[in-house]
Amino acid sequence: MEYFNAFWVGGLICMLVQILMEKTRLMPGRIMVILVVTGAILGAANLFAPMKEYAGAGVTVPLLGFGNILWEGVKKAVDQDGVLGLFRGGFTASAVGISAALIFSYIASWLFQPRMKK
């Protein structure tokens, strides 16, 4: 039953993302950011843990899981180090390469003018 739950929940997430891609003018990068932020919000609202218990990899493999990992790392670091944990937590919880990719992507969004799909 674990595989079935992971399959249908992960498939539902992918279906919703595909609908966003097809029916809106959102660029793929923005949709990915929406998924990461949603995972962090679900973690902050204590809703991600029950979803993870139910669906396992169906929830943790998509970008929702990455957002939750960042949230957990920041929360733990803030509890230990206070406000400085905001800057350290996400880096220690995730791979350095992934964190660097996020930072450089964010900087690139400041430097270059993104365009909407036509």
Side-chain angles (χ1 to χ4, degrees):
M1 202 62 179
E2 290 177 39
Y3 295 121
F4 178 74
N5 291 337
F7 179 77
W8 82 262
V9 172
L12 180 66
I13 293 168
C14 292
M15 181 186 73
L16 294 173
V17 169
Q18 190 66 39
I19 290 170
L20 271 177
M21 290 177 69
E22 298 291 329
K23 300 295 182 186
T24 68
R25 293 174 26 163
L26 289 172
M27 297 170 67
R30 291 182 181 179
I31 294 172
M32 290 174 19
V33 169
I34 289 169
L35 288 170
V36 172
V37 170
T38 302
I41 290 170
L42 289 172
N46 292 324
L47 296 174
F48 194 84
M51 289 173 59
K52 182 178 174 182
E53 183 71 29
Y54 179 76
V59 176
T60 58
V61 171
L63 286 172
L64 291 174
F66 180 67
N68 185 58
I69 288 172
L70 289 175
W71 161 254
E72 288 176 356
V74 168
K75 181 181 173 195
K76 181 179 176 184
V78 166
D79 290 343
Q80 291 176 352
D81 302 329
V83 175
L84 290 178
L86 287 172
F87 303 104
R88 187 178 70 83
F91 293 112
T92 57
S94 63
V96 174
I98 295 172
S99 297
L102 287 173
I103 290 171
F104 292 130
S105 300
Y106 190 62
I107 292 170
S109 73
W110 280 352
L111 298 176
F112 302 102
Q113 189 66 26
R115 296 190 179 110
M116 298 298 289
K117 289 193 268 184
K118 293 181 181 178

